[in-house]
Amino acid sequence: MDEAQFQKQRDVMVRSQIEARGIQDERVLAAMRTVPRHCFLPADLVEEAYEDHPLGIGCRQTISQPFMVALMTQLLELRPEDRVLEIGTGSGYQSAILSELVNEVITIERHAELALQAQQRLHDLGFLNVQVHVGDGTLGWEDAAPYDAIIVTAASPAIPKALKKQLGQQGRLICPTGDRKAQQLTRIIRCGNAFEQHQSINCVFVPLIGEEGW
Ligand code: SAH
């Protein structure tokens, strides 16, 4: 398949999976149309890149369904000047989407192998405002805090305390919370030292493993 065919598949994906399910943020839709999702997958799954489900990326981890990426991104209400922290780099695809929308992305992955691969890939594709770190993301990344937005792309029993601490004023944080088998997307917004909380849709993510996860 050539690039024009992949572009066509991306346009169809955005129309039929993402706009059709109510995502309206034009900047998010544009990023989903631009980022070459097929470049973030193992060679044997490239043909499935634009299908409506998660896919394996090695180390028993997954790249989320395109709609889930779009929804979580929209819920972050990102502005071009924002600095964003992502927990769970995985393939680097969500990081690339964020990279299109904000000034600076810091992303943390506990599997060194995935982190290294994602870092190389993001660099080769020209997503140059993303910093990849290996570590336990449940502790956040103090050095660049506070963040305008934080996204956790693995499931946690509760929102890690360190992440709440590193969220700036009016900052938005999105995290799947629940038990190991099923979760709900939870969004909090910081107002002073209080947090407004909203629940979004049901979801299933791989577990967040760490000091403040499982
Ligand atoms: N955002 C990714 C999806 C990753 S799946 C993408 O677009 O491809 C979730 C990832 O979270 C996995 O790679 C897993 O290894 C990682 N993870 C789990 N617990 C973590 C932790 N405590 N710190 C950092 N990464 C973690």
Side-chain angles (χ1 to χ4, degrees):
M1 218 171 322
D2 63 21
E3 289 308 312
Q5 282 170 305
F6 282 125
Q7 181 64 62
K8 214 163 156 194
Q9 290 195 347
R10 271 202 299 285
D11 292 342
V12 172
M13 170 190 84
V14 169
R15 224 176 313 119
S16 64
Q17 300 173 31
I18 296 175
E19 284 185 287
R21 294 190 181 116
I23 303 296
Q24 291 177 330
D25 184 326
E26 278 303 332
R27 296 180 68 232
V28 173
L29 296 171
M32 300 289 301
R33 272 187 219 106
T34 305
V35 175
R37 184 172 162 95
H38 60 281
C39 297
F40 292 81
L41 289 169
D44 60 326
L45 292 177
V46 164
E47 304 279 312
E48 292 178 53
Y50 300 100
E51 291 181 10
D52 194 13
H53 49 76
L55 290 163
I57 54 170
C59 298
R60 295 180 25 234
Q61 305 303 321
T62 54
I63 179 174
S64 303
Q65 176 197 29
F67 169 68
M68 190 58 74
V69 173
L71 175 62
M72 291 174 87
T73 308
Q74 174 167 274
L75 288 169
L76 292 175
E77 296 177 2
L78 300 172
R79 299 160 304 190
E81 63 272 22
D82 284 350
R83 177 160 62 225
V84 181
L85 176 67
E86 177 192 25
I87 312 306
T89 315
S91 67
Y93 176 69
Q94 172 76 70
S95 324
I97 296 287
L98 297 170
S99 158
E100 287 281 293
L101 298 173
V102 301
N103 187 42
E104 195 181 350
V105 180
I106 287 122
T107 182
I108 310 178
E109 171 55 54
R110 65 185 282 272
H111 283 291
E113 189 186 329
L114 291 176
L116 214 68
Q117 251 177 40
Q119 185 173 39
Q120 186 66 51
R121 189 178 273 155
L122 288 161
H123 176 267
D124 292 349
L125 292 167
F127 296 103
L128 303 178
N129 59 346
V130 183
Q131 277 176 46
V132 182
H133 298 285
V134 178
D136 177 4
T138 68
L139 303 176
W141 192 261
E142 186 80 53
D143 290 4
Y147 299 97
D148 301 296
I150 300 179
I151 176 170
V152 183
T153 64
S156 183
I159 296 173
K161 281 194 231 56
L163 300 184
K164 284 175 140 177
K165 244 195 204 151
Q166 292 174 23
L167 193 60
Q169 286 307 326
Q170 304 305 317
R172 292 81 57 200
L173 180 154
I174 181 106
C175 177
T177 59
D179 58 36
R180 281 257 193 174
K181 290 207 171 120
Q183 307 92 35
Q184 244 187 346
L185 283 186
T186 303
R187 181 171 78 142
I188 58 171
I189 300 177
R190 182 174 201 149
C191 310
N193 279 328
F195 296 88
E196 254 175 51
Q197 184 166 324
H198 311 260
Q199 298 302 127
S200 178
I201 63 168
N202 294 332
C203 53
V204 181
F205 278 76
V206 295
L208 184 71
I209 310 283
E211 216 159 291
E212 288 195 43
W214 270 296

